[in-house]
Amino acid sequence: REIIADGTDGILVPLDDSDAVDAYADALLKLTGDAALRRRLGAAAREAARRYEPAAVAHRYEELFEELRPGSTAPAAPARKGGLLRGLFKQKTAPVQKKTETAHPEARCAVGADGSLVVRLRADQLTAADTHLLLRHRGSKGKEAVRVALPEQRNGADGWVEARLERGAHTLSEGRWDTYTERSRDKSRRRLAASLVEQKALLGLPLGHGPQGVTAWVPYETSDGYLALRTWLRPEHAEATEVRVDGEGITVSLEVLGTSFGEGAELVARLRGADGSVGDVRAPLENGTGRLPCAPMSTRRDPEQDLWDLWVRPAKGAAVVRVGRIAGDFADRKGVDTFPAAVHGDALLRPYFTVTNDLTVSVKDAAAAEADA
């Protein structure tokens, strides 16, 4: 009933009335006995169906998301009548007019098949003075920056201006990068609002691995609606591909980049902040998989929580490499990729990903953790 207009492009019958079956039968008899009615309703239904073609659906969803986006400059839409679908796909009236100058230009970011970033900016929110797409490293307070020139031509047929950040051409330090348009004349900048962030290409994309090290780039929308980029850059990396937990141990399967497994490879749990009096917990690796026993980590030193960071030693005598999960489309895995806890004695052990997407085991008092839950 949100899609069909009764008597115009179809016939509606009640579903929950006592005479629903009779009403349905009557509607069928009416249609089978009236060829002209069938032709009229069918023609109107085919016309109405054009509102649901993929291109039309995508366009209307983009407009809806723009209306709902915090900080949107789009005028408030009139109340939608007749249900969500009819309101969403009804025929358009007048186009929404955008301001030429906005505090935060609208940006759409997509990950290309090779991991490069394509950033599209609304042409009507730029001026000739906006010459560059600017990325500023948050941790360096702008001392590290990357600039990509914007095309001088701003009259594209679709109303967007495109800049491309090539994965192989730029080396981005690990951390978080904020995005702006920059005016080269006075170095003034405007931070970009995230209209759309498309990450699907990251799902099957391998981590970057070149002379600079192991790299990963994940664009994302910040909690306050801006476009940002999370990056990793490490000489070597151990990717946790699978984590399994039971009452006796934690099993981790790994792939390494920038190094390779050799004789004596082992998985290592190291107590964070230890003064050397607490030894590492070690487990040999076989085909990239190791199983850390729970017992050595279950004796707590801190009344609140012990944290055991996970590392891998690729071969005997090699330096340890931090274990994490930086492949894929999550800028922040903490709270998203979660694992069950193991109870060993009075201790509760739970692997989790830190704010840097590295793998750590939290050890707490089981009774206290249950009470908190």
Side-chain angles (χ1 to χ4, degrees):
R1 62 185 177 184
E2 293 184 352
I3 299 174
I4 293 174
D6 189 29
T8 299
D9 50 18
I11 296 178
L12 297 176
V13 297
L15 294 177
D16 50 3
D17 293 349
S18 58
D19 60 349
V21 174
D22 290 338
Y24 186 68
D26 290 344
L28 288 175
L29 289 172
K30 182 178 180 180
L31 285 172
T32 56
D34 190 336
L37 176 63
R38 293 198 305 274
R39 286 193 295 271
R40 179 172 63 81
L41 294 180
R46 284 190 291 274
E47 182 66 26
R50 294 177 182 174
R51 300 197 304 268
Y52 301 90
E53 292 176 350
V57 172
H59 180 65
R60 284 169 170 77
Y61 266 114
E62 288 175 354
E63 292 180 332
L64 175 63
F65 296 155
E66 168 60 22
E67 292 171 14
L68 299 177
R69 179 174 60 81
S72 171
T73 59
R80 301 182 185 275
K81 297 181 180 180
L84 172 63
L85 292 179
R86 184 171 294 171
L88 184 61
F89 299 119
K90 66 182 180 182
Q91 295 295 330
K92 286 195 59 66
T93 53
V96 175
Q97 298 297 321
K98 292 286 186 181
K99 296 180 180 179
T100 301
E101 181 82 0
T102 61
H104 302 291
E106 187 177 327
R108 296 179 179 177
C109 182
V111 180
D114 63 349
S116 298
L117 302 184
V118 179
V119 180
R120 307 186 77 212
L121 307 172
R122 287 189 63 94
D124 60 359
Q125 295 178 354
L126 300 175
T127 69
D130 295 303
T131 56
H132 288 82
L133 168 69
L134 169 68
L135 281 76
R136 298 177 82 239
H137 189 266
R138 197 178 298 172
S140 70
K141 298 182 179 180
K143 294 180 180 178
E144 290 188 64
V146 172
R147 292 172 173 85
V148 179
L150 295 174
E152 294 184 4
Q153 295 294 327
R154 306 288 169 84
N155 56 353
D158 62 353
W160 294 85
V161 172
E162 184 174 296
R164 187 178 181 91
L165 192 69
E166 297 287 350
R167 186 182 192 185
H170 298 277
T171 301
L172 301 182
S173 299
E174 183 160 334
R176 297 179 189 271
W177 298 73
D178 296 317
T179 61
Y180 304 82
T181 57
E182 184 181 60
R183 295 173 174 176
S184 56
R185 182 181 62 234
D186 57 7
K187 299 300 181 183
S188 62
R189 59 182 185 271
R190 292 183 291 163
R191 195 171 180 186
L192 299 181
S195 169
L196 179 69
V197 181
E198 178 56 73
Q199 305 164 319
K200 65 180 181 181
L202 291 172
L203 294 176
L205 188 72
L207 293 171
H209 183 209
Q212 298 86 4
V214 181
T215 61
W217 294 358
V218 181
Y220 68 99
E221 180 179 352
T222 67
S223 59
D224 48 359
Y226 297 113
L227 176 64
L229 179 65
R230 179 68 169 97
T231 60
W232 287 268
L233 176 61
R234 301 178 176 184
E236 299 171 330
H237 172 66
E239 182 78 358
T241 58
E242 185 178 10
V243 180
R244 301 187 300 277
V245 182
D246 59 49
E248 298 301 322
I250 299 172
T251 303
V252 183
S253 297
L254 300 159
E255 294 179 357
V256 291
L257 293 93
T259 184
S260 58
F261 290 126
E263 185 178 353
E266 59 182 0
L267 182 63
V268 179
R270 180 166 294 173
L271 183 63
R272 188 183 299 180
D275 58 5
S277 60
V278 179
D280 294 341
V281 179
R282 306 167 185 270
L285 287 174
E286 183 176 350
N287 297 322
T289 297
R291 178 178 171 82
L292 291 167
C294 288
M297 294 184 285
S298 299
T299 302
R300 292 184 301 111
R301 281 81 180 173
D302 189 300
E304 295 293 329
Q305 175 181 235
D306 285 341
L307 297 175
W308 292 81
D309 295 325
L310 300 194
W311 305 76
V312 63
R313 194 181 305 280
K316 184 177 180 180
V320 293
V321 178
R322 192 70 164 94
V323 174
R325 185 176 290 172
I326 62 176
D329 59 341
F330 284 111
D332 298 282
R333 291 191 176 275
K334 187 176 182 179
V336 177
D337 281 12
T338 58
F339 307 102
V343 176
H344 190 88
D346 62 355
L348 184 141
L349 297 84
R350 186 190 299 276
Y352 76 98
F353 287 111
T354 69
V355 293
T356 54
N357 286 12
D358 293 316
L359 190 59
T360 291
V361 177
S362 165
V363 183
K364 298 181 179 181
D365 178 81
E370 183 178 354
D372 292 341

